Amino acid sequence: MNPNEKLKLGKKLINFKIPEKDNIYFPKDNTVGIEIEFKNAKFHQVSDELFEKKSPFTVCTESTVHEKDPLKGSFSRGGEINSPIITSNLDYYKNLKEVCNIIKFCNGNIDKDTACHIHIGSQAFKSEESLNNLLFIWANFEEIINRFLNGDNIINDHNSKFSKKCKEEFKKANYNFENLKRNKETSKLHSISFHYFKSFSYEKENTIEFRNIRSTFDENIILNNVEFLFRLIDFLNSSSNTELRKLESYINKFSLNPEINFEKACFLSNLIYSNKLERYCFLKQYFKDFYLEGDKKRIKLTKWKSFFQFFYSIYWF
């Protein structure tokens, strides 16, 4: 990508907003489950609101985020919203928005400890080669994917205790799923958990769990995350592991900029998206809205300072 092309793309991204989604790419026969952790909101109030709205979503306690009510002294605040098994049924998109509004209405909040876990039905992966491809892509683009899945928060401070990085484990297994299983290289708490994986066919609770996703009450970001995972899986299913591995030497030439890696993010988006709008949605969520994080408040940069910060990242390498 030459400087003029970068400049043109950068100008579009600065002014681009992720559109409200009422539909996403959802492959036939695939399934997904979504878990949204929250703090502060009273567990029973959230439960009552969901019941009153006849929502198919449920709420349960979650030990990593529950908090004591200062008045009652009991662990009655915080929890986790669980979706039903979601197919391409459009009603679920409306339900998701309703659920996010309920948590906000009940004064729920999120911080670096709250996560949004996404379970993809294992039948989405067509073969073991697809999983080998997943290990390869994740290990080589983990920092790009992590920043994207951090949602609308610019600081990558999501609690790694419950979503440990997988890069070294995947490389140690030589990007081979059988080696990974045999040597028990990953646990349920890694950013990708194979704890529930049983086979490549549909059966209850047979999923691969993506855990390195920051919680959010923005349903568009959640849907953008789901769409990214489905597009990624499509790419993995259609790729030869032998051919994919040939990219490693090229990938290793990218800049090691720890904050924003324009070239590498664009490369990944071009690999997995053919649709320009979806590619823009990915890149916008990766680059964020050009905010700086203060100790106690978020200060939005002026457009020109944003522009400078963004293009500094472009020309880093």
Side-chain angles (χ1 to χ4, degrees):
M1 185 181 291
N2 64 48
N4 286 335
E5 290 172 330
K6 295 171 191 173
L7 187 65
K8 186 177 179 180
L9 176 59
K11 285 180 178 178
K12 287 182 179 179
L13 286 175
I14 283 176
N15 295 302
F16 178 78
K17 294 186 181 297
I18 297 174
E20 187 168 333
K21 294 176 180 285
D22 56 5
N23 196 3
I24 63 170
Y25 172 68
F26 206 114
K28 185 180 178 183
D29 299 326
N30 283 7
T31 53
V32 65
I34 300 170
E35 301 168 355
I36 307 170
E37 294 176 351
F38 63 90
K39 287 187 174 182
N40 191 56
K42 293 180 179 179
F43 175 86
H44 291 295
Q45 185 182 2
V46 174
S47 179
D48 290 345
E49 289 291 332
L50 290 172
F51 179 79
E52 186 177 324
K53 300 287 187 183
K54 299 181 180 178
S55 173
F57 287 67
T58 58
V59 61
C60 66
T61 56
E62 170 52 55
S63 61
T64 62
V65 296
H66 68 183
E67 304 166 300
K68 280 187 177 181
D69 188 308
L71 297 178
K72 297 183 178 179
S74 60
F75 286 96
S76 58
R77 291 180 182 268
E80 179 181 271
I81 296 287
N82 292 327
S83 77
I85 297 174
I86 298 176
T87 62
S88 57
N89 188 331
L90 294 178
D91 287 342
Y92 287 130
Y93 303 137
K94 298 175 185 176
N95 295 141
L96 182 59
K97 183 173 185 177
E98 182 180 70
V99 163
C100 290
N101 287 335
I102 284 173
I103 304 173
K104 288 186 284 187
F105 173 77
C106 296
N107 297 315
N109 60 35
I110 55 176
D111 62 16
K112 64 183 180 63
D113 298 323
T114 53
C116 175
H117 301 151
I118 294 179
H119 290 257
I120 301 290
S122 297
Q123 74 276 8
F125 294 85
K126 301 306 179 189
S127 66
E128 192 166 302
E129 183 176 35
S130 300
L131 291 182
N132 294 342
N133 290 342
L134 174 63
L135 304 191
F136 176 84
I137 289 293
W138 206 269
N140 283 281
F141 291 94
E142 187 169 43
E143 75 283 3
I144 303 293
I145 296 171
N146 282 347
R147 184 178 172 87
F148 167 78
L149 293 176
N150 210 33
D152 52 359
N153 193 287
I154 196 169
I155 305 299
N156 288 319
D157 62 354
H158 180 53
N159 194 339
S160 61
K161 180 180 178 181
F162 304 111
S163 57
K164 297 176 183 177
K165 292 181 179 180
C166 295
K167 184 173 187 173
E168 296 308 317
E169 286 78 4
F170 290 174
K171 284 189 172 182
K172 187 177 178 181
N174 194 28
Y175 311 128
N176 183 284
F177 183 61
E178 277 301 316
N179 290 344
L180 195 73
K181 284 197 305 181
R182 189 183 305 114
N183 300 327
K184 297 182 179 179
E185 295 287 358
T186 63
S187 73
K188 185 181 177 183
L189 298 182
H190 275 78
S191 61
I192 301 180
S193 172
F194 300 100
H195 178 78
Y196 301 102
F197 176 80
K198 300 173 186 175
S199 69
F200 294 101
S201 58
Y202 174 77
E203 53 183 301
K204 191 175 181 181
E205 296 181 356
N206 174 28
T207 67
I208 292 175
E209 182 183 13
F210 296 85
R211 300 179 54 82
N212 62 324
I213 306 169
R214 190 183 177 106
S215 193
T216 178
F217 303 148
D218 186 332
E219 71 279 1
N220 283 316
I221 289 178
I222 296 173
L223 293 174
N224 209 29
N225 292 338
V226 172
E227 194 164 46
F228 163 74
L229 292 174
F230 278 141
R231 288 296 189 193
L232 174 62
I233 293 167
D234 269 6
F235 170 73
L236 303 175
N237 287 336
S238 62
S239 300
S240 157
N241 189 255
T242 304
E243 293 300 313
L244 202 55
R245 282 174 178 248
K246 291 179 181 178
L247 294 174
E248 188 164 20
S249 59
Y250 179 77
I251 294 169
N252 289 336
K253 293 178 182 177
F254 287 125
S255 161
L256 296 177
N257 180 5
E259 292 300 321
I260 298 177
N261 196 319
F262 183 91
E263 196 87 345
K264 197 171 183 179
C266 288
F267 183 79
L268 178 61
S269 70
N270 288 334
L271 275 182
I272 66 173
Y273 294 106
S274 58
N275 181 292
K276 184 181 289 187
L277 177 60
E278 291 177 9
R279 193 179 301 141
Y280 281 3
C281 288
F282 171 83
L283 290 173
K284 183 65 174 185
Q285 189 171 313
Y286 171 74
F287 288 118
K288 316 302 180 192
D289 280 327
F290 308 101
Y291 281 97
L292 286 180
E293 190 75 11
D295 291 333
K296 295 184 177 180
K297 64 180 180 178
R298 175 176 282 185
I299 306 169
K300 190 168 185 179
L301 298 171
T302 66
K303 187 172 182 179
W304 286 111
K305 286 184 179 179
S306 302
F307 189 85
F308 174 79
Q309 183 193 44
F310 178 72
F311 285 104
Y312 178 76
S313 73
I314 291 177
Y315 290 104
W316 178 279
F317 55 89

